[in-house]
Amino acid sequence: MFAEFKRRSQHMLPAITTSIAFLLSTTALSYAAGLPYGAAKEDFIAALADMDPVELVMQVTGSPGDENSLASEQYVAAVTEWSGGKIQGKVVYGNAILAGNTAPAVADGRITFGGVIAQYDPSNFPISAGLVDLSFVSNSSPIAGALQTWGTLMEASGTEEAIEEQRDYGVEPLFIQGGTTASGLFCTEPRNDVAKLAGVQTRAGGLIHGREVDALGASAVSLPYSEMFEGLQRGIIGCALTSITTAKVAGIIPLAPYHALAPANTGFGLTTTNMAFDIVFWEEIPLEARQLLWDLSKAYIRQTILASWTQTQVGLQDIADAGGEVLELSPDAAERLVAENSKVLEEMRSFQHFGDGNAVVEGFLAAADKWEAIVAELGYAELDPGWANFGAWYEPGKVDIDPFVDRLFEEILLPNRPE
């Protein structure tokens, strides 16, 4: 907080001077009014013509052109173009600024728009981390379940207390939890029942994962995703609980090619990240610039979803190439997982950091039902081939994601568009 105050104080005098200048000029009316959603590129360029140039820095794990780099590359390119060059986008590769939870780098301005992994820092984000502990409420199928997860987590996690918690830290969230592919166990040998998991040291990325691992009879070891490879390589852990997309990025599939997933009607907690802006940057740019960044996030989310499916397909091929297989949790293991998740739901109703825990839990359950129905209504449930067939079935362009992304933006992000 002290660091944030220092950053704010450095900007305070020019910000006050600029605000007074705006109030005394005719352009102040333009900044106050903003632009409507759907405004043309030319309208944004004209509105931002007098803006001082700024830099928008994003960071990715991969290299230029990698599948997991495309969403950021496309976003910064679009922002640069639509702002008439007033917001200069830049992508930093290979986690060169900060690996893992980049919240500190977003808060201090090294990254302008980046990821917050709240479950890695529950002391600073107790509310946001608590919301992650409810991320298991969606189904775990690769198409319908993934889309349901995006809608459920974005809608149910956007509580005012979570947003304020992140603002107090120094970041302005676009959303508190985004979607991801289903979490599952990646093990060095086939392990999908209670007997085979008994006592196995298993990586857990947060509180909910730790509880689920222990409930299955394994022994939870807290490790960030950046340390999974070394943990498996050195024999410190025998399994890691994470998503296939994270496993692919972390490079652990050749070491742990046996992937055990929950049945489609349930799931493990998820390794989620929320995206946020440096709050000083956010507050100093004009309204039209904030609106542009908000509006173009729709394309960022779209590409993120598509990239996750491509990475899933590649990850499944990596599993096959390594001689592994995709397994489903045995009935005894699935029963334990469901029981532990049910226990967590009830406990979170009285979670000390939620203003109204009962309302939060009911919100997650209602959002899960709502987005399951929306996904089915849009035809994705019928389209979903399941995990067993996904690798051979999926190819780029196979799924028209636009109807879902349109609905997601209109129902969740558009009502919160900066005004």
Side-chain angles (χ1 to χ4, degrees):
M1 290 298 295
F2 179 66
E4 181 193 341
F5 174 78
K6 287 176 67 179
R7 288 190 67 217
R8 287 179 174 280
S9 65
Q10 292 168 1
H11 292 270
M12 193 172 294
L13 183 57
I16 293 172
T17 304
T18 303
S19 297
I20 294 172
F22 282 155
L23 289 172
L24 295 177
S25 70
T26 55
T27 58
L29 294 175
S30 171
Y31 278 84
L35 290 170
Y37 177 64
K41 178 170 63 177
E42 293 74 18
D43 295 331
F44 278 105
I45 292 174
L48 299 175
D50 295 328
M51 174 184 169
D52 291 334
V54 296
E55 188 174 54
L56 177 75
V57 179
M58 297 186 71
Q59 174 186 276
V60 295
T61 302
S63 303
D66 284 357
E67 192 66 39
N68 69 333
S69 302
L70 288 178
S72 296
E73 290 171 339
Q74 292 174 6
Y75 183 68
V76 298
V79 168
T80 301
E81 180 182 348
W82 278 63
S83 68
K86 294 296 185 176
I87 305 175
Q88 286 290 324
K90 175 183 177 181
V91 178
V92 177
Y93 297 93
N95 286 340
I97 298 174
L98 181 64
N101 177 27
T102 60
V106 178
D108 67 24
R110 286 175 289 163
I111 295 173
T112 319
F113 182 44
V116 176
I117 308 179
Q119 64 270 33
Y120 287 4
D121 190 6
S123 61
N124 278 311
F125 300 106
I127 298 169
S128 303
L131 295 171
V132 174
D133 292 340
L134 294 168
S135 61
F136 54 78
V137 296
S138 298
N139 296 333
S140 58
S141 59
I143 299 292
L147 298 183
Q148 180 197 12
T149 296
W150 272 94
T152 299
L153 298 188
M154 281 185 63
E155 180 165 317
S157 300
T159 65
E160 191 60 36
E161 58 188 359
I163 293 169
E164 289 304 316
E165 172 184 77
Q166 298 211 359
R167 286 173 176 163
D168 287 344
Y169 181 83
V171 300
E172 177 67 30
L174 174 68
F175 50 76
I176 297 296
Q177 280 198 84
T180 184
T181 48
S183 290
L185 294 166
F186 285 85
C187 297
T188 55
E189 58 185 70
R191 295 187 178 106
N192 66 326
D193 61 32
V194 172
K196 293 174 183 174
L197 287 166
V200 176
Q201 297 279 99
T202 300
R203 177 265 181 180
L207 176 61
I208 183 60
H209 276 181
R211 291 190 54 167
E212 290 170 334
V213 165
D214 288 341
L216 295 177
S219 179
V221 177
S222 179
L223 284 176
Y225 80 86
S226 56
E227 297 178 19
M228 289 191 295
F229 184 91
E230 184 179 0
L232 287 162
Q233 187 179 50
R234 296 174 59 187
I236 297 171
I237 55 175
C239 296
L241 179 52
T242 190
S243 69
I244 193 168
T245 50
T246 302
K248 174 65 180 170
V249 170
I252 68 169
I253 292 176
L255 299 176
Y258 297 95
H259 186 31
L261 289 157
N265 62 346
T266 184
F268 288 100
L270 301 175
T271 306
T272 64
T273 301
N274 74 261
M275 296 300 294
F277 295 93
D278 164 20
I279 201 166
V280 173
F281 166 89
W282 183 258
E283 292 179 348
E284 290 188 346
I285 59 176
L287 174 59
E288 290 90 344
R290 297 197 297 270
Q291 291 173 328
L292 178 62
L293 294 171
W294 201 266
D295 294 352
L296 293 179
S297 71
K298 178 179 174 181
Y300 174 82
I301 292 170
R302 178 184 185 277
Q303 181 56 42
T304 299
I305 296 172
L306 293 176
S308 74
W309 286 334
T310 299
Q311 287 182 302
T312 294
Q313 183 186 44
V314 175
L316 290 171
Q317 186 60 53
D318 288 348
I319 288 172
D321 292 345
E325 61 181 321
V326 177
L327 308 165
E328 185 172 291
L329 287 182
S330 65
D332 64 341
E335 183 178 349
R336 289 194 179 197
L337 177 64
V338 170
E340 187 63 27
N341 286 346
S342 297
K343 188 185 300 183
V344 171
L345 274 178
E346 290 309 306
E347 291 176 5
M348 295 305 284
R349 293 180 185 276
S350 56
F351 184 55
Q352 61 176 329
H353 297 291
F354 292 160
D356 186 344
N358 195 61
V360 171
V361 171
E362 290 301 321
F364 268 78
L365 296 174
D369 289 342
K370 171 184 170 179
W371 284 95
E372 182 178 28
I374 289 174
V375 167
E377 170 197 327
L378 294 175
Y380 297 107
E382 184 178 0
L383 189 68
D384 197 314
W387 284 100
N389 300 313
F390 184 86
W393 174 86
Y394 184 75
E395 60 184 31
K398 185 92 171 185
V399 181
D400 180 7
I401 197 67
D402 290 336
F404 173 79
V405 176
D406 289 344
R407 189 77 169 265
L408 187 76
F409 190 88
E410 290 165 6
E411 298 226 4
I412 300 173
L413 288 177
L414 190 55
N416 297 306
R417 185 175 187 262
E419 298 292 349

